[in-house]
Amino acid sequence: MRLTTEETARAARFFAEGIHRLASRPVRLMEVCGTHTVSIFRAGIRQLLPPTVELVSGPGCPVCVTPNEYLDTAIAYSRCSDIIITTFGDMLKVPGSDSSLMAEKAKGADIRIVYSPLESLTIARENPNKKIVFLAVGFETTAPTAAATVLQAEQQGITNFFVLSAHKLVPPALKAILAEPKTKVDGFLLPGHTVTISGLEPYYFVTQEHAIPAVVTGFEALDILQGVYLLLEQISTGKAELVNQYRRVVKPEGNPAARRILDKVYQPDNAVWRGFGVIAGSGLALTAVYQRFDAKAALPLGKVESREPAGCRCGEVLRGLIMPADCPHFGLSCTPEQPVGACMVSVEGACAAWYKYGQGRWSYA
Ligand code: SF4
C-alpha cells in the first residue's frame, strides 16, 4: 500500500521525533549497504538525527570491497588481443595498481559495458574467435543472474564465455567486523536487497551471538528513518532482535529459487576484501561442474603484481573505523573526477557519497 504525501510526512515526523526521544546516549549505527549510504545523504537524514546518533558506513559497496588484485587481473586480461571484457560500468574508473579499465579502453582494449551478464552471451555468439570474460562483481543480489548466465551458456553450448568471479557474501563480512576489537557498532541497518535473496537466517548470529540489534531496512527515506527508530527502540530497552522493516519486499525465507540457481553454479570460497584481507567463506567460486567457465582456471595469466594506492584509507572506511573525511586525500587529492581509491569511484562508495552530499561537513576550512 502506497502512502500519500501527507501520510509519509506524518510517519517521518513520528519516527524523527521518536528517534530524538530514544537517543538518550551516544550510539553508533552501521548502514551496511552503499545504497543506504547514498539514500541517507540524498534524503538529508543525517541532519534530522540528534548528535548522539552516529551513522557509519559499512562494507556494502561491491566495487569498493573488490581488491586491486582483482582489478589488475581484469586489466591484464583486457590487454590480451583475443579477449573481450564485459563489465558493469562502475568498474571502469576504479584505479588498479598502475592503470584502470577506462585507461585500457582508451588505449584500445575491447571492454564493453553491459547492463546484464546475459548480454555477454550475445557478444560471445557474435565473436566466436574471441574469449569473453565477464567481471562478476556484486553481492547475493547480483550473483544469481551471473549464475543463470553460466547455466544459459552451458545450455546454448557457448564455449568462449568465462567468469572472473569476485562475488561476495555479506554475513561473513559482518562477522569480520564484529571480530574487530576497534569497531564499535550498537546496531546494524541490514541491506534489504541481499536479504531478499538470502532470507533472514544467515543474519541471526548478529543478534544471538553478539547481542546487537539489527533491522533489515528498505531504501526509501521513510524506511531508513523507521530502521533507525527500530534500532533505537531496541537499544533503549536492552533488546537485540532481528527485525524485518522491509517486509513488503523481504520474505523471511528469502528467495529459494534464486538460491537454488546460485547453489548449483557457485560454492562458498575464501575471498579477499579490500581493507579486510581474506575472509573465510565470504566469496563465491564456480563449482567443479562449471569450472570450465572459470576465467582464472581456463585462461591462466601467471602472477599479477598488485599494490593498494598509497595513503588510501578505503579499507578503514569500509570497516567502519574512520569517516571518509579522516583520510588526508579526501576532497583534496582524491575526488570523484580524480579518484585515488575505489571508495571515491562508485556511486555507492562512502567517500563519493560524503564528497557529493556532505554539504560542507567534510570541509577542512
Ligand atoms: S578519500 Fe580517496 S584516498 Fe581517502 S579513503 Fe576515500 S577513496 Fe581512499
Side-chain angles (χ1 to χ4, degrees):
M1 187 188 76
R2 279 202 87 76
L3 298 181
T4 64
T5 309
E6 204 172 292
E7 287 167 337
T8 304
R10 221 173 15 243
R13 200 172 308 118
F14 172 83
F15 292 129
E17 286 172 3
I19 288 167
H20 278 262
R21 195 177 61 248
L22 294 167
S24 54
R25 69 169 175 89
V27 292
R28 202 159 190 259
L29 310 178
M30 177 176 277
E31 86 269 5
V32 176
C33 176
T35 314
H36 277 152
T37 303
V38 173
S39 298
I40 286 165
F41 272 112
R42 271 202 194 125
I45 287 176
R46 283 173 186 276
Q47 286 86 335
L48 278 179
L49 299 179
T52 42
V53 178
E54 184 184 13
L55 292 178
V56 60
S57 302
C61 157
V63 170
C64 306
V65 298
T66 302
N68 267 16
E69 186 187 320
Y70 179 89
L71 284 155
D72 293 333
T73 303
I75 288 166
Y77 279 130
S78 79
R79 289 172 176 163
C80 301
S81 58
D82 60 342
I83 288 180
I84 299 174
I85 299 287
T86 55
T87 176
F88 298 130
D90 50 2
M91 288 293 285
L92 277 201
K93 272 177 78 179
V94 185
S97 295
D98 57 16
S99 184
S100 67
L101 290 167
M102 186 173 265
E104 296 303 315
K105 189 171 165 63
K107 283 190 243 167
D110 198 342
I111 299 170
R112 304 191 191 183
I113 294 172
V114 292
Y115 296 95
S116 159
L118 286 164
E119 290 174 49
S120 307
L121 301 188
T122 308
I123 296 170
R125 278 193 302 273
E126 290 169 354
N127 296 273
N129 299 324
K130 300 269 185 167
K131 301 172 181 93
I132 315 305
V133 174
F134 171 63
L135 306 187
V137 171
F139 296 115
E140 290 89 333
T141 334
T142 47
T145 324
T149 305
V150 171
L151 293 178
Q152 287 230 6
E154 187 194 38
Q155 279 163 16
Q156 295 173 18
I158 293 174
T159 55
N160 61 334
F161 167 73
F162 304 92
V163 171
L164 184 60
S165 178
H167 283 307
K168 293 192 167 46
L169 303 170
V170 172
L174 295 189
K175 281 188 184 158
I177 283 173
L178 290 168
E180 163 79 64
K182 284 189 271 176
T183 310
K184 187 189 163 303
V185 178
D186 299 297
F188 286 102
L189 293 170
L190 296 178
H193 43 23
T194 61
V195 188
T196 308
I197 304 296
S198 69
L200 299 178
E201 203 281 326
Y203 292 91
Y204 278 114
F205 75 92
V206 175
T207 54
Q208 294 175 355
E209 293 172 26
H210 297 274
I212 294 177
V215 176
V216 179
T217 307
F219 299 94
E220 304 288 332
L222 194 57
D223 292 324
I224 295 168
L225 270 180
Q226 188 178 12
V228 172
Y229 173 83
L230 291 169
L231 283 176
L232 290 177
E233 204 175 39
Q234 292 198 58
I235 291 166
S236 65
T237 53
K239 285 187 185 159
E241 289 170 2
L242 179 57
V243 175
N244 183 6
Q245 180 278 334
Y246 203 28
R247 277 181 307 214
R248 67 185 186 275
V249 174
V250 173
K251 297 194 179 77
E253 71 277 16
N255 184 336
R259 282 206 307 279
R260 268 195 297 281
I261 294 173
L262 206 52
D263 293 345
K264 191 167 180 188
V265 175
Y266 286 114
Q267 61 193 7
D269 194 13
N270 297 341
V272 181
W273 294 57
R274 190 188 298 274
F276 290 83
V278 176
I279 302 180
S282 67
L284 291 172
L286 289 155
T287 58
V289 178
Y290 296 98
Q291 268 294 300
R292 65 183 180 284
F293 294 101
D294 183 352
K296 275 193 166 171
L299 312 169
L301 276 174
K303 181 131 181 72
V304 175
E305 295 294 339
S306 279
R307 61 184 186 284
E308 293 299 323
C312 173
R313 300 182 68 184
C314 217
E316 291 161 272
V317 171
L318 292 166
R319 280 149 59 211
L321 296 177
I322 63 165
M323 292 297 199
D326 295 326
C327 171
H329 286 297
F330 181 82
L332 299 170
S333 47
C334 181
T335 63
E337 291 73 37
Q338 294 286 334
V340 172
C343 298
M344 189 57 95
V345 177
S346 170
V347 285
E348 294 190 350
C351 297
W354 274 83
Y355 183 86
K356 188 168 178 192
Y357 302 105
Q359 298 167 352
R361 290 180 63 174
W362 52 268
S363 168
Y364 287 94

